[in-house]
Amino acid sequence: MKARAFSYVRSETLADAYAAFAQAGDASYISGGQSLVPALALRLQAPELLVDLGAVAEMHGVTLDGDMLRIGGLTRHAQMLTEPLIARHAPLLAQAAPHVAHPAIRNRGTLGGSVALADPASEFPAMMLAMDARMEIFGAAGTRLVPADAYFQDLYQTALEPGEILVALHVPSVGPRHRWAFDELTRRRGDYAMVGAGLQGLFEEDGRIEHIRIAFFSVAATPVRVKSVEAALAGRKIDAALIAHVQGLIDAELDPAEDEHLPPAMRLHLARVLLGRLLQTVSSPT
Amino acid sequence: MNFSIDGHAFSAEPHPGQCLRTFLRERGDFGVKKGCDQGDCGACTVWVDGAPIHSCLMPAFRAADRKVTTIQGLASGDALHPVQQAFLDAQAFQCGYCSAGMIMTIAALDETQRADLPRHLKGNLCRCTGYAAIHDAIDGVVNVSDDIAGNACGASLPNPFGPGIVTGHARYTMDLDVAGLTHLKVLRAPHAHARIRSIDKAPALAVPGVLAVFTWEDVPRRLYSTATHEDHLVDPDDTYMLDDVVRFVGQRVAAVVGESEAAAEAGCRALTVEYEVLPAVFDPELAMAPQAPVLHHKGGEAHGNVFAEIRGEVGSIAEGFAEADAIHERTYTTSRVQHVHLETHGSIAWKSDDGRIHVRTSSQAPFIAHEKLCHLFGFIPADLHVFTERVGGGFGGKQEMLTEDLCVLALLKLGRPVKWEYTREEQFIGASTRHQMTTRVKLGAKADGTLTAIEIRVVSNTGAYGGHGSETLAASLSSPMSAYRCANKKGEGFVVYTNMVPGGGFRGYGASQSTFAIECAMDDLAKLLGIDPFTLRRRNMVTADDWIEAIWSGVSDVEFGSYGLDQCMDLVEEALATGPRRPVPAGEHWAEGTGIALAMLESGPPTEHRSGAVMELLPDGRYHLAVGSTEMGNGSVTSHRQLAASVLGARAQDIDIINADTDKAPFDTGTFASTGTVVAGQAVMLTATALRQNILSYVARITATKPDDWALEADAVVGGNARISLVELHAKGTAAGHRFLAKRKAYLSPRTVAFNVQGIRLAVHRITGDIEILQSVHAADIGRLINPMQCRGQINGSIAMGLGWALTEHMDYDDTGHLKNAALRNYRIPSFADVPRTQILFADTYDTIGPLGAKAQGECAINPIAPAISNALFDATGVRFASLPFTPDRIFDQLQPRP
């Protein structure tokens, strides 16, 4: 199918992009375009105007400011694997990146685009939750920071108001006492996850967990944390009994939708398996 | 905007909304291929500033001021890029349609990425090769051998179109620029069963760029079948080009022709159609019930929805079961799957100045399409020309006429060239599929395993139209039932219309489905009797001394031109015991098992099949061969050159070839049912032999010697010390009025049989349902190998397709008959990571029926794959997985401890 014949504007500043979007009435922003272009081709979306964010300077680059890593929204998936600052300060992203689509997509797709779309089956949005990231959002009132916990609201619904732009992701840098892990279970190798999860925690010297955040994807309309599991892990040292205990909490935390080929019972089962594997991974230092 | 493409700088304004892929192709950069237009297949991969991207996912304007490199710009002048050369050396392609994208991806890999190919090749799908030859190319393996005069047969010679394929210059069906081209699109039915009350064309005709709309009222009201066979009566004439009743979601409703694809699509969206929705039935058992809605009122209503019914019994199964010490009975079901040839269906039709109509199409049977078009439109055959260029895969899916008819209709009405290219979604909802079959198997045996009775009942869901329905059913009751020796056999089968997308021909053709059932049942019986699966099979499998008999006592034309099933069994048993394998993955909960399955397939169809060839000695001492059969990646142009070269004492490269063209080649029924070698190859051999005779007789005549005194060599005829170059001979002969030409036809009868045995060792994870193939072993008895590399290629491709059928592929419908996964991202054909290396072994046989000892081999290798996997799962877990596919949810469902 052919996309609607949209017009196109390339903005160099956030304000210009915002204005162009507002003026059009029926516009879409394009970042990497790897989800948008197929949606346009299938006419799931058919905007009149595409506002290209590619030249907006504030959305480029990865910088460290104190304990906070600022990752420009236009940073490509492929850069999660090559950018030294990400490897050092936000290693969970580097760990998740090979699971995201495939190289040709990763060469174009952007972190900001993925988090703005908030596909519940995507890896990176869930990692924002696990890393306790803040979203830098540009809108009518200028720029604001929204914590990941308040950002994901419902299926493809985020704190982004119409016309607002996800400028950058602010990720707390990991220190020597952090541990993290990522994994997903797929039908076919490299496929969308049936269930996936990432976790990141601060550990005491003796191996006890000070606090931990665990985020699942492909289990609900949004990426979700399993807070009762996190609470149960706080102050504890990971062992087989603790893993079994928190696996038992999953059923009450997650409520996957009915799916003919992936019954909720199986999804929950896989989530328990995955949780066990991830906790096993971080039971010794990363 | 300024663009730089393959080093050419220019200014252009892309259309609003245009992606880079169509922008490139519009400029004539046809090396860039369309496979899905959704970033799933990788066929359109190009580099932007040196990084591979999917050109279908990039708006064209974003490539402005960037450096774009396509496959056509990868080589430096005449020097191929090392990856292009590696693809030639390994012959890492069959149809070649994925090669452009595959090469662009691989050429950009660094050393680290090359070390993790499963992950880095995940965005490039190949349906032909099973990725083995691609892996070879990356490893620098040279699979081709030297082309030595007189020794062409048995050598792994390369595809003559290889250089074009790896450089992007090979031209596939749609790779053509036609002046004044118009574009056709169809509106497809949203209902599984409905009568069309009215179609308002006006809103569509009002769309700018829309030229015409055609509905059922505009087409010849002539029934036909889209299935292509030599004898059209084997398929029911139950189809109109456009009908006033739609019988499946996705059936054509109306055709819109526009100045652009976008205009034609907009026209389709604008059409207003009023439907009277009718009751629909999807399950063939329900469709057989007396109160079921009847799909067709075309003379066969008395049989309800049962379009064909086939029965037969030899001996007496009642007596056979009475003699049995043990009886096993169970139902096995196979799933509906799509061929997913990477080149979608499509054709282009135009009229030449002399008024003749030309149709360039992606077909396995252009000659039958030619006949059908003559039937539909009342053409004089000589006024119509149907042909193929490179065809991007078929696998049985292109044994249909799906696009040619409407293109010709629009051409006749508008007088302008017309193109219609399927989208990937249309492949899933509006092409053909493998028939879903449910097979009840009942086996009776003595305690020592000797079979006393075999009974099967097959119900085939042919969907809304019956093309290939009766032939696939007959195939399901035929060779798989002949594979075992038993005095008492009975089979019955039903082909049932339902409101589903139609079934069609698909590699393995009905026999795949019943082989799955019977081979699973044999292992179930082995378990019941406590006998090893090899032993049980050896005790009962057909031997060279047996009369080949399925369920009919009448005589057939099937004979053993050779027999190597016993060798295949020995080879697989030995390799499973000693061959290379991967260890069971680390961690708990893995269960390991091995499984085998055998398959027997007749070489060629029971329906009529014929093929012709013409050969000529050229003035430069080379030869020209014209053969009617289609090359779609099956390798026939390569093997045909080898057969001819071997007869003529020449090198394969001395033979120019043209194929599948109703103007330029003699009639051929079509490349299907594994006939490329055994029928078309036979025609080539007969023709080459006649031309050799022609040449030698002429030499004898002018030298007053005997033809036997002379022999053909690469460039000369040689007799004793005398040597006459072919160039000289040609000049002399033609000057004297002699013609160095020959034409012969081949007809398929008798038919020989081929055998395949698959061994699988796997590990299944009881907790996640993950299946890891640890070892895959395949033995084939396909007679003499005309081209060993290609034979391995066909087998590797069949195995990959079998793995997809067994593990990941499935067409998933809602309860109103809508397909839920009409896209490659959720239909899931195997990717590089999903296909293990298979150890391929060959029985040492030489067939007395097939050409130069060869037998058919394009299809049969798929048949034992799925049952071998089910048998290995059974061995590992004790649970019989009797329904395809074995997806994680089904494994989970069966393996979870019950509370």
Side-chain angles (χ1 to χ4, degrees):
Chain A
M1 212 187 297
K2 297 290 171 196
R4 178 176 177 183
F6 50 78
S7 45
Y8 165 74
V9 59
R10 189 172 169 89
S11 303
E12 296 199 346
T13 67
L14 290 169
D16 284 356
Y18 189 82
F21 188 101
Q23 225 159 30
D26 181 14
S28 286
Y29 290 120
I30 179 163
S31 174
Q34 301 302 285
S35 299
L36 178 67
V37 176
L40 295 175
L42 292 168
R43 294 205 173 220
L44 301 173
Q45 289 186 54
E48 279 169 8
L49 175 72
L50 274 198
V51 180
D52 190 336
L53 298 172
V56 176
E58 297 100 304
M59 298 182 68
H60 284 278
V62 181
T63 51
L64 186 68
D65 182 9
D67 283 345
M68 201 57 90
L69 189 70
R70 181 184 184 278
I71 306 172
L74 291 172
T75 308
R76 300 200 190 275
H77 300 336
Q79 287 173 269
M80 304 301 140
L81 291 161
T82 55
E83 177 60 59
L85 284 174
I86 289 174
R88 164 69 188 83
H89 299 283
L92 191 56
L93 286 176
Q95 213 170 84
H99 299 269
V100 178
H102 49 260
I105 300 278
R106 294 201 294 266
N107 284 338
R108 295 296 302 162
T110 66
L111 184 63
S114 171
V115 176
L117 179 65
D119 185 324
S122 280
E123 290 84 356
F124 288 138
M127 298 312 102
M128 295 298 125
L129 271 183
M131 297 186 303
D132 196 14
R134 286 119 174 94
M135 318 300 159
E136 180 185 329
I137 294 173
F138 178 86
T143 299
R144 63 199 163 97
L145 281 183
V146 177
D149 284 326
Y151 175 80
F152 299 103
Q153 297 177 347
D154 204 342
L155 186 63
Y156 297 112
Q157 296 249 316
T158 67
L160 286 166
E161 297 293 332
E164 288 193 327
I165 300 167
L166 182 56
V167 182
L169 298 311
H170 296 249
V171 181
S173 167
V174 297
R177 288 199 290 119
H178 277 100
R179 298 180 192 178
W180 58 89
F182 174 91
D183 203 359
E184 62 183 35
L185 297 168
T186 58
R187 283 186 183 85
R188 178 180 61 170
R189 293 194 185 30
D191 216 322
Y192 288 101
M194 295 185 284
V195 175
L199 62 77
Q200 184 164 307
L202 189 63
F203 284 63
E204 309 274 12
E205 297 295 348
D206 65 359
R208 277 185 303 131
I209 296 173
E210 198 172 306
H211 57 76
I212 191 165
R213 293 170 65 97
I214 306 171
F216 277 86
F217 57 98
S218 267
V219 293
T222 65
V224 286
R225 283 172 64 195
V226 282
K227 290 184 184 169
S228 65
V229 174
E230 294 172 3
L233 290 166
R236 306 282 302 275
K237 218 169 162 165
I238 297 171
D239 58 24
L242 182 61
I243 290 176
H245 170 65
V246 295
Q247 281 177 320
L249 301 174
I250 285 285
D251 285 19
E253 278 278 4
L254 301 178
D255 183 21
E258 206 46 66
D259 175 331
E260 191 184 336
H261 295 292
L262 204 56
M266 181 181 180
R267 231 187 257 270
L268 289 170
H269 166 79
L270 294 179
R272 287 192 294 271
V273 170
L274 199 55
L275 179 65
R277 287 184 182 178
L278 292 176
L279 290 174
Q280 195 63 50
T281 306
V282 293
S283 63
S284 53
T286 303
Chain B
M1 292 178 179
N2 296 318
F3 290 89
S4 162
I5 293 169
D6 292 334
H8 304 287
F10 61 95
S11 292
E13 289 300 315
H15 307 303
Q18 187 171 32
C19 70
L20 181 59
R21 179 188 72 75
T22 60
F23 180 70
L24 291 168
R25 287 183 57 86
E26 231 171 61
R27 295 180 66 255
D29 291 327
F30 291 122
V32 180
K33 297 288 182 268
K34 180 215 77 174
C36 68
D37 263 356
Q38 289 178 37
D40 295 330
C41 78
C44 71
T45 305
V46 300
W47 294 352
V48 172
D49 291 341
I53 60 119
H54 297 305
S55 58
C56 70
L57 291 191
M58 187 182 215
F61 51 71
R62 288 196 133 187
D65 305 320
R66 318 283 294 272
K67 192 175 149 219
V68 176
T69 311
T70 78
I71 186 74
Q72 297 170 184
L74 189 62
S76 324
D78 288 340
L80 293 180
H81 185 281
V83 174
Q84 290 173 314
Q85 187 59 50
F87 263 59
L88 279 182
D89 292 343
Q91 292 284 291
F93 45 81
Q94 286 175 22
C95 83
Y97 198 81
C98 73
S99 301
M102 197 69 84
I103 289 171
M104 293 310 284
T105 298
I106 293 168
L109 296 180
D110 62 26
E111 281 309 308
T112 336
Q113 292 166 331
R114 276 172 178 248
D116 186 9
L117 293 173
R119 208 161 244 176
H120 288 93
L121 286 185
K122 137 186 169 190
N124 289 81
L125 298 176
C126 170
R127 190 58 153 170
C128 294
T129 63
Y131 304 96
I134 293 169
H135 204 162
D136 284 348
I138 295 169
D139 288 347
V141 175
V142 176
N143 287 327
V144 293
S145 49
D146 292 335
D147 187 3
I148 297 164
N151 289 334
C153 236
S156 291
L157 299 184
N159 182 328
F161 300 101
I165 287 169
V166 303
T167 55
H169 293 106
R171 289 291 168 256
Y172 292 78
T173 313
M174 292 294 148
D175 301 341
L176 182 70
D177 202 8
V178 188
L181 187 64
T182 65
H183 301 263
L184 187 146
K185 288 283 172 183
V186 301
L187 177 70
R188 294 189 178 275
H191 303 293
H193 199 188
R195 183 176 306 283
I196 296 172
R197 281 219 183 104
S198 67
I199 301 178
D200 185 2
K201 296 179 179 179
L205 290 167
V207 171
V210 168
L211 300 167
V213 177
F214 305 113
T215 71
W216 68 276
E217 291 174 297
D218 302 304
V219 301
R221 192 76 175 160
R222 302 194 83 165
L223 284 167
Y224 71 111
S225 171
T226 60
T228 56
H229 277 109
E230 170 78 31
D231 178 354
H232 83 274
L233 293 175
V234 304
D235 301 302
D237 284 337
D238 57 8
T239 305
Y240 291 115
M241 284 172 62
L242 292 167
D243 203 342
D244 59 340
V245 176
V246 293
R247 298 179 178 83
F248 67 97
V249 173
Q251 182 176 322
R252 305 158 161 194
V253 171
V256 177
V257 185
E259 294 286 359
S260 65
E261 282 184 43
E265 281 181 2
C268 289
R269 280 192 296 272
L271 283 169
T272 313
V273 185
E274 205 188 330
Y275 296 97
E276 174 193 345
V277 176
L278 303 170
V281 60
F282 305 109
D283 180 289
E285 293 286 353
L286 297 177
M288 283 196 278
Q291 70 279 15
V294 174
L295 268 74
H296 290 279
H297 299 270
K298 291 163 180 161
E301 296 90 327
H303 305 286
N305 290 316
V306 178
F307 145 61
E309 209 173 314
I310 301 177
R311 292 171 201 282
E313 182 170 0
V314 294
S316 160
I317 57 156
E319 286 173 22
F321 286 121
E323 282 172 43
D325 296 325
I327 291 177
H328 166 74
E329 188 171 6
R330 185 191 269 272
T331 299
Y332 305 84
T333 63
T334 60
S335 55
R336 183 177 292 275
V337 284
Q338 224 280 325
H339 313 76
V340 193
H341 31 75
L342 278 197
E343 181 196 52
T344 58
H345 284 280
S347 51
I348 304 175
W350 69 90
K351 222 176 224 183
S352 50
D353 292 340
D354 58 6
R356 292 185 76 224
I357 287 173
H358 306 267
V359 182
R360 170 169 163 145
T361 180
S362 186
S363 173
Q364 292 176 231
F367 288 86
I368 306 295
H370 181 271
E371 288 183 352
K372 281 185 189 278
L373 291 171
C374 289
H375 162 75
L376 284 173
F377 295 102
F379 293 142
I380 295 166
D383 291 343
L384 177 66
H385 171 214
V386 180
F387 69 106
T388 72
E389 285 293 330
R390 304 270 64 72
V391 173
F395 315 113
K398 291 173 180 169
Q399 196 190 344
E400 300 278 340
M401 187 177 76
L402 294 181
T403 59
E404 297 89 334
D405 55 330
L406 285 179
C407 283
V408 169
L409 177 86
L411 170 66
L412 292 175
K413 301 257 185 184
L414 295 170
R416 288 179 57 186
V418 186
K419 166 182 143 174
W420 181 18
E421 180 179 19
Y422 264 40
T423 63
R424 182 55 60 187
E425 183 191 17
E426 284 183 294
Q427 277 308 133
F428 285 108
I429 66 168
S432 60
T433 61
R434 188 187 287 282
H435 287 82
Q436 188 278 320
M437 292 188 188
T438 300
T439 305
R440 185 101 188 138
V441 183
K442 187 174 175 185
L443 302 176
K446 290 294 201 187
D448 70 354
T450 306
L451 288 170
T452 59
I454 312 176
E455 182 184 13
I456 69 169
R457 176 184 188 270
V458 180
V459 175
S460 171
N461 185 342
T462 194
Y465 295 92
H468 299 286
S470 57
E471 287 307 302
T472 47
L473 178 68
S476 78
L477 297 170
S478 184
S479 48
M481 287 296 277
S482 306
Y484 290 103
R485 180 172 10 93
C486 178
N488 309 300
K489 300 181 191 176
K490 182 182 174 186
E492 61 175 2
F494 307 88
V495 184
V496 187
Y497 284 126
T498 66
N499 294 107
M500 299 289 289
V501 67
F506 195 135
R507 189 181 230 166
Y509 207 76
S512 315
Q513 290 93 317
S514 60
T515 297
F516 173 69
I518 292 169
E519 288 304 296
C520 288
M522 285 300 283
D523 268 37
D524 286 336
L525 179 66
K527 174 93 172 239
L528 185 66
L529 294 169
I531 298 177
D532 162 74
F534 275 103
T535 308
L536 182 70
R537 282 181 176 77
R538 287 198 177 100
R539 189 152 295 156
N540 293 290
M541 69 195 195
V542 70
T543 72
D545 299 327
D546 288 322
W547 179 245
I548 300 173
E549 185 173 71
I551 55 167
W552 305 282
S553 50
V555 62
S556 82
D557 69 341
V558 181
E559 284 183 12
F560 289 120
S562 54
Y563 176 86
L565 177 57
D566 50 351
Q567 291 182 54
C568 290
M569 292 289 282
D570 294 349
L571 288 167
V572 166
E573 188 171 34
E574 167 77 14
L576 275 178
T578 61
R581 72 195 67 167
R582 295 191 299 136
V584 177
E588 292 175 88
H589 307 299
W590 289 100
E592 185 185 349
T594 57
I596 57 161
L598 65 80
M600 165 172 162
L601 195 68
E602 293 150 4
S603 291
T607 47
E608 309 306 303
H609 210 105
R610 59 203 170 95
S611 190
V614 171
M615 282 205 81
E616 182 180 8
L617 175 64
L618 299 172
D620 63 359
R622 302 173 74 256
Y623 298 94
H624 188 271
L625 166 63
V627 59
S629 86
T630 296
E631 162 74 55
M632 52 182 162
N634 52 324
S636 56
V637 293
T638 313
S639 58
H640 290 165
R641 292 203 323 169
Q642 290 178 263
L643 286 165
S646 136
V647 171
L648 293 163
R651 300 176 306 173
Q653 60 192 279
D654 296 329
I655 319 271
D656 287 341
I657 186 165
I658 180 136
N659 68 308
D661 185 312
T662 63
D663 272 7
K664 296 176 184 159
F667 181 89
D668 180 280
T669 299
T671 306
F672 54 81
S674 303
T675 50
T677 299
V678 297
V679 193
Q682 187 80 277
V684 169
M685 214 192 62
L686 294 173
T687 308
T689 306
L691 182 62
R692 181 182 62 190
Q693 204 52 40
N694 171 316
I695 294 168
L696 297 182
S697 300
Y698 181 73
V699 171
R701 184 143 50 87
I702 62 170
T703 55
T705 52
K706 293 196 294 278
D708 287 354
D709 298 338
W710 297 86
L712 266 171
E713 288 187 2
D715 53 0
V717 274
V718 179
N721 293 327
R723 183 180 187 91
I724 308 171
S725 85
L726 289 173
V727 174
E728 185 191 335
L729 186 71
H730 184 277
K732 199 167 185 170
T734 45
H738 184 76
R739 293 287 175 268
F740 296 102
L741 266 169
K743 176 177 182 173
R744 288 292 184 272
K745 296 177 189 173
Y747 177 76
L748 178 64
S749 190
R751 296 175 293 141
T752 185
V753 291
F755 294 100
N756 296 68
V757 177
Q758 174 72 32
I760 288 279
R761 172 176 277 109
L762 57 71
V764 54
H765 195 274
R766 291 180 168 277
I767 304 298
T768 61
D770 254 353
I771 293 172
E772 292 278 347
I773 308 287
L774 306 175
Q775 187 182 9
S776 171
V777 180
H778 189 99
D781 166 30
I782 54 175
R784 184 186 182 192
L785 312 179
I786 304 291
N787 185 319
M789 170 181 66
Q790 287 193 344
C791 294
R792 281 194 297 272
Q794 287 294 307
I795 291 169
N796 275 315
S798 294
I799 291 170
M801 210 171 242
L803 288 170
W805 196 34
L807 298 175
T808 58
E809 295 175 38
H810 186 231
M811 298 178 80
D812 185 11
Y813 290 88
D814 71 13
D815 53 14
T816 60
H818 288 79
L819 182 64
K820 293 194 277 185
N821 58 336
L824 292 177
R825 65 183 55 185
N826 46 20
Y827 175 74
R828 302 188 177 92
I829 67 168
S831 68
F832 186 96
D834 300 301
V835 186
R837 280 285 182 149
T838 293
Q839 188 182 358
I840 296 173
L841 305 158
F842 294 103
D844 182 13
T845 57
Y846 187 98
D847 202 75
T848 55
I849 295 172
L852 295 177
K855 304 200 261 193
Q857 59 114 12
E859 298 182 83
C860 190
I862 196 174
N863 291 352
I865 309 306
I869 291 173
S870 180
N871 288 340
L873 282 170
F874 183 51
D875 183 46
T877 64
V879 176
R880 167 59 63 188
F881 291 89
S883 295
L884 293 174
F886 316 129
T887 47
D889 54 309
R890 291 181 175 178
I891 306 281
F892 173 82
D893 187 53
Q894 291 295 313
L895 296 190
Q896 286 320 290
R898 304 274 171 231

